[in-house]
Amino acid sequence: MLALEVGPGDEVIMPSFTFVSSANSVVLRGAQVVFAEVDPVTLNLDPDDVEKRVTKRTKAVMPVHYAGVGCDMHAFAELSQKHGIRIVEDAAQAVDSQNGGRFLGTIGDIGCYSFHGTKNITCGEGGAFITNDDKIAERAEILAEKGTNRSAFLRGQVDKYSWVGCGSSCILSDILAAVLEVQLKKRQEIKQRRRVVWEAYAAALQALAEEHRIVLPHVPDECDHNYHIFYFRVASRDERDQLLKALQAEGIGATFHFVPLHSSSYGRTSLKNDQQLPITDRCSDTVIRLPLYPGLADQVDSLIDATPTTIGSMMSARKGA
Ligand SMILES: *Cc1c(COP(=O)(O)O)cnc(C)c1O
């Protein structure tokens, strides 16, 4: 947001169904967050709903690639052209995912990756900033290097460096970079192991999906994803809560997310957000996430023994009731 010079009076459209960091970046600049609905099939930002919320103040739109599955970037590119707004991809969950043969995070004006401990590729805390725009890149380098032109100095373009603008300290430490380098080298192995777990869940839950008792995640044909999250959807919030309890009682670390930002305590009080987002509310109420990390690939048999049985027996109990 700093690199795009977003500030007071500007609006940035994003899903309410996302992690708080997407919105914090805008709030920290004194700009207005405008939430839009997600597509209930992919849980990704809905371009048609975004278009309805574009105003003269709209500076950027922030598609969030939920679960590492790509948003409809063609639609956002059209929107960007038509209304002259920037696209900032929140690709925090989408390192190593593609849409139409292009890596997520490299399609919009800016892409942001996360290497937080919960992500596929990690160094504990960290991230990467990607841009195709030379002007943005120049500004971002200065912002990241504490407001100095040290990056240009390191490339030999200037003979000394000094304070040339406002900035902060956003460079990954050498020590974390060393950890990240090894993670990046293991990219394929990490992806493959996650894939084994993701596909085992999908296969094991297929029968329940065919009986319309749960809804499995949808990956559009043009998307190659990174198996970041395995989730499925149930019919209601009550059902979700009961099922989470049952799974947790079996020792299966199932969770839900996100509390939609428009209905969070900060969203309601400080953002003074009174937006109605019924589709988002419904999606958030009915999502269940199952545990997914590379080490689980070794336990996939016992995992798919326990998980669908627990889900299946609870679902049949509901049917009976
Ligand atoms: C993890 C995550 C972030 C935040 O990443 P940080 O590295 O903690 O800044 C932002 N957006 C989404 C969708 C995320 O999942």
Side-chain angles (χ1 to χ4, degrees):
M1 291 304 129
L2 274 164
L4 290 181
E5 298 177 312
V6 166
D10 294 331
E11 296 174 356
V12 178
I13 306 177
M14 67 180 68
S16 174
F17 186 74
T18 183
F19 188 61
V20 294
S21 302
S22 317
N24 275 327
S25 66
V26 175
V27 173
L28 280 167
R29 307 270 48 86
Q32 181 69 40
V33 175
V34 175
F35 294 121
E37 292 278 32
V38 286
D39 173 344
V41 176
T42 57
L43 305 186
N44 273 335
L45 188 60
D46 175 354
D48 294 331
D49 192 68
V50 167
E51 182 149 35
K52 289 182 203 148
R53 299 174 197 268
V54 170
T55 70
K56 282 200 296 275
R57 294 167 182 263
T58 308
K59 192 103 178 221
V61 56
M62 192 187 294
V64 178
H65 303 300
Y66 178 68
V69 176
C71 293
D72 182 352
M73 295 308 289
H74 287 294
F76 288 114
E78 265 174 35
L79 217 79
S80 157
Q81 291 255 307
K82 187 168 160 196
H83 299 283
I85 51 184
R86 298 289 206 164
I87 300 176
V88 180
E89 296 178 69
D90 179 338
Q93 302 184 0
V95 173
D96 206 19
S97 289
Q98 298 184 28
N99 186 348
R102 298 175 75 186
F103 282 101
L104 300 181
T106 68
I107 305 169
D109 295 289
I110 292 174
C112 300
Y113 293 136
S114 172
F115 305 126
H116 183 259
T118 54
K119 302 301 198 280
N120 287 22
I121 304 288
T122 180
C123 58
E125 286 277 9
F129 175 97
I130 313 281
T131 181
N132 294 318
D133 182 308
D134 291 342
K135 279 222 175 72
I136 294 175
E138 198 180 312
R139 221 179 280 140
E141 271 187 351
I142 291 168
L143 286 163
E145 277 284 14
K146 307 157 188 79
T148 73
N149 55 349
R150 183 164 179 264
S151 301
F153 170 72
L154 292 176
R155 284 193 299 267
Q157 293 165 336
V158 290
D159 60 4
K160 61 177 184 335
Y161 75 89
S162 68
W163 195 19
V164 295
C166 160
S168 188
S169 188
C170 312
I171 304 292
L172 194 69
S173 79
D174 300 2
I175 298 162
L176 294 185
V179 175
L180 184 63
E181 189 188 11
V182 179
Q183 283 273 297
L184 286 169
K185 283 186 183 144
K186 291 187 174 172
R187 193 163 65 102
Q188 302 298 349
E189 184 190 334
I190 291 170
K191 186 170 179 176
Q192 180 51 29
R193 292 177 73 82
R194 299 185 77 97
R195 178 179 183 163
V196 167
V197 181
W198 197 100
E199 287 180 345
Y201 280 138
L205 296 174
Q206 186 62 35
L208 287 170
E210 278 165 14
E211 293 165 24
H212 303 291
R213 297 198 290 175
I214 62 171
V215 179
L216 289 180
H218 173 73
V219 179
D221 284 344
E222 68 274 17
C223 289
D224 169 50
H225 71 122
N226 62 1
Y227 310 95
H228 177 58
I229 285 174
F230 186 89
Y231 75 92
F232 61 94
R233 289 184 56 209
V234 294
S236 69
R237 187 175 177 141
D238 277 353
E239 191 168 283
R240 177 199 73 187
D241 291 344
Q242 285 171 33
L243 192 47
L244 279 178
K245 238 193 235 157
L247 287 164
Q248 283 158 6
E250 289 292 319
I252 299 163
T255 54
F256 77 94
H257 76 171
F258 304 99
V259 173
L261 298 180
H262 75 280
S263 61
S264 67
S265 126
Y266 187 76
R268 282 182 287 113
T269 55
S270 298
L271 293 188
K272 299 205 172 42
N273 197 294
D274 54 3
Q275 284 183 261
Q276 301 294 310
L277 298 163
I279 298 171
T280 296
D281 289 335
R282 185 162 170 73
C283 290
S284 160
D285 280 349
T286 54
V287 163
I288 291 186
R289 288 177 62 179
L290 295 176
L292 175 50
Y293 50 91
L296 270 185
D298 297 327
Q299 311 167 34
V300 90
D301 293 337
S302 59
L303 188 72
I304 60 166
D305 260 359
T307 312
T309 311
T310 308
I311 297 170
S313 57
M314 218 219 79
M315 294 290 192
S316 348
R318 170 176 67 93
K319 230 179 160 190

